[in-house]
Amino acid sequence: MNASAVVFYILSAFILATGLLAVTSRKIFRTAIWLLFSLTGVAGLYFWLGMQFIAAVQVVVYVGGIVVLIIFSIFLTQQSGKDLPSPLRRRTVFSALAACIGFALTCLLLSRYSSFRVKESDYDFAPDMSISAIGNQLLSTSEHGYVLPFEVISILLLAAMIGCIVIAMKSKPGDK
Amino acid sequence: MAFLRTYLSDIYHGARSLLKGMKLTGYYFTHRKEIITQQYPDNKAEMKLPERFRGEVVMLHDENNEHACTGCTACELACPNGTIKIITKIETSPDGKKKKALDTFIYHLELCTMCNLCIQACPTDAIKMAQNFEHSVYDRSQLTKNLNKPGSKIREGVE
Amino acid sequence: MLSIENITHSIDVWLYGTFNPTAALLLESLIVGLCAITLFAVLGLVLVLMERKVSAYMQIRLGPNRVGPGGALQTVADTLKLAMKEGLTPDGADKFLFNLAPFMVIVVAMLILVPVAFAKGTQIWDINIGVLYISAVSSLSVIGILMAGWASNNKYSLLGAMRSGAQIVSYELSAGLSIISIVTLTGSLRISDIIDSQQDGWWLFKGHIPAMISFVIFIIAVTAETNRAPFDLAEAESELTAGFHTEYSGMKFALFFLAEYVNIFIVCAIAATLFLGGWMPLHIGHWTAFNHAMDYIPSSLWFIGKTFFLIFVIMWFRWTFPRLRIDQLLSLEWKYLLPLSLFNLLLMTLISIKGWHF
């Protein structure tokens, strides 16, 4: 086991432990913080893989965006510091079952389709992960370009933005 | 277009007023001679207090040990927190007239807020604010002062 | 010539020559960590003293002048005092998060330090995504503040934290857009590339008016992001006692205080890197003689000089302007800075496509 593997296991243990704490904690704010740590751990895993752009995007979107949004909604809605009621026994059993089945399915798929496995030869395959390559790919119109999904998502976001503005806009008194 | 013009002029005027403020603080930053701090215990000899600084109430006495207080108690009435207590006596003048005069002017420094109302109330300008501010003593009773000097009397001609 | 680059290089060579690669890497990380902590401590001491002196002179006062020569040891004495104080945890607080929050804030500040180039060839990790990494990690600092505000179980803290959150989330946008407008000129996010591209002049001068506008917007946005006056609503003394760190005392308070000053240093270092060329000496086009003369000043001095100049400017803001109200703060961002920086980005793209910059 080399240093890289040690880092991987530490990161994975961190992600799993904080993820478990996030679902078992009785305090809603702590849950959000554990989720934050879990997502940061995933970003760390991306850094470990050398995928720095994805790692940074993970931090920007999930940690800086979504978790902050979650925390804000907790601030605005929840009673401070009160414990959540513990869930129904039935619900606990079912969610544990669902998690187990999902894990089993993932394992099954991974073992069935060995093409997902990392072969020794794959270690030499280093895709061009520089940010300009990603940018070119994202806007390229050639065969493997992503310009169409990019534009579709842009329009979706634009629609969402306009919707937000329309909802938030106060109508002036007098023009009903 | 009108909207854009007001928008841009808002930005221009905002930036200009901010820069004006920064110019003033920048001037103070670069000009050390403007500093008004006095390093108090070190500069006791050449310390300069502002003209209107109020330290304590004193009664003015001239070289003949005479003051201008008639004992009218206007200051005592003007004082909002009972700092001044005036004890008067009846004096008989050489020509046999009886006249009220000051006996003791008691001033409680520990109650005084230096509000200057007594000085404004005084009709004969007998008292004024002094600039002495080193008032700390070990015993509270030392703060109760007698403002008229022993043996002093009212100046001739002050009514 | 003795430079920081040579020193770090010789240490690197010696370590790898003496130990096996893993141990050498670990030792190097340890040294870098120690250097970062030392830098933090020194920055805290120097910047707090600088702030107090600058504020004093701007308010026609003298400032601290009793401890040490000219008051130079004042902050050391203050730190000693803080270290002696009791670190109180309030009864109703969420103890775990309350104690975690200051460390979270300081760790985030340390993480942002990673891609900053302190001198020629002196950088902890010249990461491919440089400035994106910085803006990503700096968005984490809001979490520590929100955590502190919530865990204190205090209304002032919660209000301060919420204000701070709204403020940081909004001003990140214009800071990011200003960064992007420089990135359109350099074509790279890597800090070393950005600095190299300023070999013949700093972007502030090479990029015409759009670069200046984005510089101003960036300075305003980072002042808001670091919760400095005139944007210090998160800890507005007159309304919220001390905002999110109302309940903190002793060393935990000191960590918040330290993080604030380190964050100022880092954002000023980034502004210096993006707009004023980082450690790059003042070069003007092809004036070779002038450029050579400028090269005699060590690169680390250039970097420190520029950074401290920007820190001084931000302090100048603080001691000149009155605090904004929360609605003014948000309308400044959403109605003025954001549209301006979007428009500015378009202009900058045009300039960079047409090659109008120098």
Side-chain angles (χ1 to χ4, degrees):
Chain A
M1 203 154 80
N2 55 1
S4 174
V6 172
V7 172
F8 171 75
Y9 284 116
I10 290 173
L11 274 174
S12 310
F14 178 76
I15 295 168
L16 288 177
T18 48
L20 200 65
L21 281 167
V23 291
T24 53
S25 175
R26 285 270 78 83
K27 288 198 169 92
I28 184 126
F29 189 72
R30 278 200 191 183
T31 302
I33 297 296
W34 290 127
L35 180 67
L36 164 95
F37 281 132
S38 188
L39 292 171
T40 318
V42 174
L45 213 53
Y46 286 135
F47 270 117
W48 177 79
L49 285 168
M51 304 290 155
Q52 289 146 4
F53 179 69
I54 312 230
V57 169
Q58 164 90 6
V59 172
V60 169
V61 173
Y62 285 99
V63 180
I66 295 200
V67 172
V68 171
L69 205 64
I70 290 175
I71 290 176
F72 260 82
S73 37
I74 292 172
F75 274 11
L76 292 173
T77 55
Q78 280 287 321
Q79 288 285 306
S80 153
K82 281 211 182 103
D83 284 10
L84 291 176
S86 58
L88 299 171
R89 175 76 53 77
R90 186 157 43 94
R91 220 180 264 176
T92 319
V93 170
F94 273 119
S95 35
L97 214 62
C100 286
I101 290 171
F103 184 66
L105 185 69
T106 317
C107 286
L108 194 73
L109 283 174
L110 282 180
S111 59
R112 178 75 55 82
Y113 300 101
S114 55
S115 61
F116 283 124
R117 284 202 187 149
V118 179
K119 292 188 283 293
E120 281 298 317
S121 59
D122 284 353
Y123 284 123
D124 303 328
F125 168 71
D128 187 7
M129 285 319 293
S130 73
I131 199 139
S132 53
I134 293 173
N136 280 329
Q137 185 84 14
L138 212 54
L139 289 177
S140 112
T141 46
S142 62
E143 200 176 339
H144 293 293
Y146 287 90
V147 70
L148 188 64
F150 182 85
E151 291 300 334
V152 169
I153 291 171
S154 308
I155 289 172
L156 182 71
L157 286 177
L158 184 66
M161 261 158 66
I162 293 172
C164 285
I165 292 170
V166 168
I167 290 171
M169 201 158 56
K170 267 188 234 158
S171 56
K172 278 186 196 141
D175 56 62
K176 192 78 191 196
Chain B
M1 235 41 241
F3 162 74
L4 199 64
R5 199 176 309 127
T6 48
Y7 183 81
L8 289 178
S9 83
D10 271 1
I11 293 175
Y12 170 73
H13 286 113
R16 221 180 67 139
S17 75
L18 291 180
L19 285 178
K20 204 183 258 177
M22 284 180 72
K23 197 180 136 199
L24 184 70
T25 41
Y27 171 79
Y28 283 144
F29 184 78
T30 45
H31 290 72
R32 294 292 144 83
K33 66 174 195 304
E34 298 276 351
I35 288 175
I36 54 169
T37 307
Q38 303 206 22
Q39 293 185 279
Y40 160 55
D42 299 345
N43 70 342
K44 254 183 175 172
E46 72 270 19
M47 182 169 50
K48 269 174 71 182
L49 285 173
E51 202 180 308
R52 288 190 287 171
F53 176 79
R54 303 179 200 147
E56 65 173 332
V57 176
V58 291
M59 185 174 281
L60 297 167
H61 288 76
D62 60 12
E63 62 276 12
N64 304 328
N65 203 15
E66 286 175 339
H67 56 74
C69 181
T70 58
C72 68
T73 70
C75 49
E76 186 179 345
L77 293 171
C79 185
N81 39 357
T83 304
I84 297 170
K85 178 79 193 131
I86 290 176
I87 300 169
T88 50
K89 58 184 179 190
I90 303 294
E91 232 172 30
T92 320
S93 54
D95 52 342
K97 261 192 190 165
K98 284 192 176 169
K99 198 179 164 195
K100 198 167 84 168
L102 178 72
D103 183 43
T104 327
F105 190 110
I106 298 166
Y107 170 57
H108 294 276
L109 179 57
E110 75 270 31
L111 297 179
C112 184
T113 59
M114 321 295 166
C115 67
N116 209 33
L117 287 177
C118 51
I119 281 81
Q120 284 169 357
C122 185
T124 55
D125 291 332
I127 47 177
K128 71 165 229 182
M129 279 286 177
Q131 301 217 312
N132 173 32
F133 59 91
E134 290 162 320
H135 291 313
S136 47
V137 285
Y138 284 102
D139 187 3
R140 193 169 50 154
S141 64
Q142 282 171 275
L143 291 172
T144 305
K145 294 182 177 178
N146 213 344
L147 289 193
N148 54 333
K149 289 183 185 162
S152 64
K153 61 177 198 296
I154 189 161
R155 196 175 301 138
E156 279 303 311
V158 179
E159 287 299 324
Chain C
M1 196 175 132
L2 193 70
S3 73
I4 299 178
E5 191 180 18
N6 294 343
I7 296 169
T8 51
H9 183 69
S10 51
I11 291 174
D12 183 62
V13 167
W14 179 77
L15 276 174
Y16 275 94
T18 323
F19 303 100
N20 65 332
T22 313
L25 189 68
L26 278 177
L27 274 174
E28 273 190 351
S29 314
L30 198 69
I31 293 171
V32 167
L34 279 178
C35 287
I37 291 171
T38 319
L39 179 74
F40 269 39
V42 172
L43 274 181
L45 295 179
V46 170
L47 288 181
V48 174
L49 184 72
M50 178 176 163
E51 171 108 272
R52 293 184 63 175
K53 274 291 185 188
V54 167
S55 74
Y57 288 139
M58 285 189 176
Q59 297 170 343
I60 351 180
R61 295 184 288 118
L62 280 172
N65 58 359
R66 296 280 138 173
V67 190
L73 296 177
Q74 180 67 47
T75 43
V76 179
D78 287 348
T79 316
L80 266 178
K81 182 204 76 175
L82 279 173
M84 301 284 191
K85 274 189 157 182
E86 182 189 2
L88 194 77
T89 309
D91 236 5
D94 188 334
K95 299 224 165 36
F96 173 68
L97 292 181
F98 184 83
N99 291 317
L100 184 66
F103 295 100
M104 182 93 190
V105 172
I106 206 93
V107 164
V108 168
M110 273 192 182
L111 282 177
I112 311 176
L113 212 58
V114 167
V116 175
F118 293 96
K120 196 171 196 288
T122 311
Q123 208 173 352
I124 296 174
W125 183 16
D126 192 10
I127 185 170
N128 175 18
I129 51 167
V131 286
L132 177 66
Y133 172 89
I134 288 167
S135 48
V137 176
S138 66
S139 69
L140 276 175
S141 66
V142 64
I143 301 276
I145 291 172
L146 290 173
M147 219 193 259
W150 172 269
S152 300
N153 195 16
N154 177 323
K155 287 190 177 62
Y156 290 136
S157 305
L158 190 64
L159 278 174
M162 290 208 43
R163 283 183 181 187
S164 165
Q167 184 177 325
I168 292 179
V169 168
S170 358
Y171 277 80
E172 235 164 44
L173 289 171
S174 7
L177 284 171
S178 306
I179 291 177
I180 289 174
S181 68
I182 291 300
V183 170
T184 53
L185 289 175
T186 59
S188 170
L189 294 171
R190 196 189 286 270
I191 296 276
S192 57
D193 289 349
I194 291 174
I195 294 174
D196 283 340
S197 69
Q198 305 182 59
Q199 201 138 33
D200 53 347
W202 302 343
W203 280 125
L204 184 63
F205 307 125
K206 280 203 301 176
H208 299 300
I209 292 167
M212 288 180 196
I213 294 175
S214 60
F215 177 68
V216 172
I217 290 176
F218 186 77
I219 291 291
I220 295 173
V222 296
T223 313
E225 262 196 79
T226 46
N227 287 326
R228 297 266 310 170
F231 305 102
D232 61 342
L233 291 136
E235 44 195 298
E237 293 94 345
S238 46
E239 306 153 30
L240 298 177
T241 38
F244 61 90
H245 55 64
T246 304
E247 297 286 354
Y248 284 89
S249 59
M251 269 331 264
K252 278 180 264 172
F253 167 73
L255 284 184
F256 274 119
F257 207 60
L258 183 64
E260 183 190 329
Y261 281 97
V262 171
N263 277 330
I264 294 163
F265 175 80
I266 291 171
V267 295
C268 288
I270 290 158
T273 306
L274 286 173
F275 297 97
L276 302 176
W279 50 259
M280 190 63 78
L282 177 61
H283 286 174
I284 299 176
H286 299 292
W287 300 10
T288 355
F290 178 78
N291 294 350
H292 273 298
M294 282 295 160
D295 283 341
Y296 277 107
I297 302 173
S299 58
S300 51
L301 274 190
W302 276 105
F303 174 76
I304 302 256
K306 290 169 190 172
T307 310
F308 270 77
F309 170 71
L310 290 177
I311 292 173
F312 171 73
V313 169
I314 282 184
M315 287 181 179
W316 196 353
F317 288 165
R318 172 164 181 179
W319 298 106
T320 306
F321 302 144
R323 184 185 304 128
L324 273 74
R325 225 167 42 214
I326 184 84
D327 61 321
Q328 292 170 334
L329 176 98
L330 292 177
S331 75
L332 172 68
E333 162 64 19
W334 295 101
K335 290 186 185 163
Y336 292 93
L337 292 189
L338 191 63
L340 274 183
S341 48
L342 279 171
F343 180 70
N344 193 43
L345 181 60
L346 274 181
L347 264 184
M348 195 60 120
T349 321
L350 191 70
I351 284 181
S352 124
I353 289 171
K354 292 277 183 185
W356 284 339
H357 60 85
F358 299 113

